[in-house]
Amino acid sequence: MAAVGTWSFSRPAVERMRCMLLAGQNATDVVETAIAEVEDDVDTGRHIVGRGGYPNSKGVVECDAAIMEGVPGRFGAVAALRGIAQPCRVARKVMEKSPHSLLVGDGAEAFAQELGFTSEPNANMLSDHSATAYREYLEKNKLVRGGHDTIGLIALDLSGNITVGVSTSGAPFKAPGRVGDSPLPGCGLYADHKVGAAAATGDGDKIMCYCPSFHVVQLMRQGSSPNEACQAVLADIQRRIGGDKCFELGLISLNMKFLSA
């Protein structure tokens, strides 16, 4: 049994996961529940997740989320989803109820509504903090600094099932319809029940060009520990882009023997 998450603000979620796993709950339920609680907490919105997250350039909050089980073919995601405070729950429904794997925009919202989710007014998705930040963006062209804080959680349950989930409201004041790496398999997340799982966080427009989560899992398949795999992927990307160039990228990974962040 193990649980791991991105960034310090995920620590309460990781502790919640640990308790749920010890109680015998399955990895997918654990990941979905833990992420949903973070998504719906307006105070964590400033970490660019769910309710209270920063809106796009038109003032609308659009969220991306995905969930992937280690079992082959078990993946679901939503992107540019409006009005739903817990997009990871919709992503799971895509995995379980839709013939598709990724739904975006109006189609994702319509799917959610068909399954009983309530679309809230955009004002409900904003917090005082994010609304103020948006006004400052419009009036002073003031940008949010240091914020690409996707939440990513990985859980390995007592039965040996592994699941990874991610969620974000995306880059502050992004173009409407912009989608980052988070809901893309291999980029923002990846899982294989024979090996382990990985998740990425950072500058999604750059991350998606390198498929780092898939790369981490493949290196673990070849015998690397999670720490070794993450370090190797970061070093490989650094070599490819050049030593004088960099972008924000964090990786977490978990296999059946070793834990790393």
Side-chain angles (χ1 to χ4, degrees):
M1 181 280 296
V4 63
T6 55
W7 306 105
S8 60
F9 75 89
S10 74
R11 287 176 181 170
V14 171
E15 179 59 25
R16 172 95 161 107
M17 291 167 65
R18 188 185 71 83
C19 293
M20 295 172 68
L21 289 167
L22 286 172
Q25 296 193 42
N26 73 71
T28 302
D29 288 344
V30 167
V31 168
E32 178 190 4
T33 299
I35 289 182
E37 289 178 355
V38 174
E39 290 173 327
D40 205 28
D41 183 346
V42 70
D43 290 333
T44 56
R46 68 184 60 207
H47 298 296
I48 315 185
V49 178
R51 190 187 301 278
Y54 296 102
N56 63 24
S57 62
K58 299 299 183 182
V60 180
V61 177
E62 293 183 328
C63 295
D64 305 336
I67 195 162
M68 188 173 194
E69 296 178 346
V71 178
R74 295 283 290 172
F75 170 81
V78 292
L81 177 61
R82 300 181 175 187
I84 306 292
Q86 297 176 314
C88 75
R89 294 197 184 278
V90 184
R92 182 174 183 181
K93 293 299 185 184
V94 172
M95 178 176 71
E96 295 180 339
K97 303 291 185 181
S98 174
H100 310 299
S101 294
L102 171 61
L103 297 176
V104 304
D106 292 343
E109 185 176 0
F111 172 81
Q113 291 171 342
E114 289 171 3
L115 292 180
F117 291 88
T118 300
S119 293
E120 300 183 47
N122 186 63
N124 289 5
M125 296 294 293
L126 293 166
S127 65
D128 291 342
H129 177 82
S130 60
T132 298
Y134 181 63
R135 286 194 299 270
E136 292 179 344
Y137 165 73
L138 293 178
E139 296 168 2
K140 306 175 184 178
N141 199 32
K142 182 179 179 181
L143 301 178
V144 175
R145 299 298 179 185
H148 293 286
D149 298 352
T150 303
I151 187 168
L153 299 177
I154 305 172
L156 175 65
D157 65 28
L158 295 173
S159 298
N161 303 305
I162 194 164
T163 298
V164 56
V166 295
S167 182
T168 181
S169 55
F173 322 131
K174 62 191 177 183
R178 177 266 188 187
V179 177
D181 68 297
S182 295
L184 305 181
C187 298
L189 73 170
Y190 198 75
D192 186 315
H193 72 291
K194 294 183 178 180
V195 182
T201 177
D203 187 341
D205 292 295
K206 300 291 195 303
I207 290 172
M208 69 171 68
C209 300
Y210 299 95
C211 297
S213 295
F214 177 77
H215 193 178
V216 167
V217 174
Q218 291 304 102
L219 289 175
M220 291 194 298
R221 185 191 309 278
Q222 296 167 13
S224 296
S225 72
N227 184 65
E228 291 168 343
C230 289
Q231 293 293 338
V233 169
L234 293 173
D236 176 67
I237 293 173
Q238 187 69 65
R239 284 194 299 270
R240 292 163 68 184
I241 64 176
D244 59 338
K245 300 177 182 178
C246 62
F247 61 89
E248 188 177 51
L249 167 61
L251 294 166
I252 60 170
S253 60
L254 172 70
N255 69 10
M256 305 308 175
K257 295 181 179 178
F258 301 99
L259 178 65
S260 173

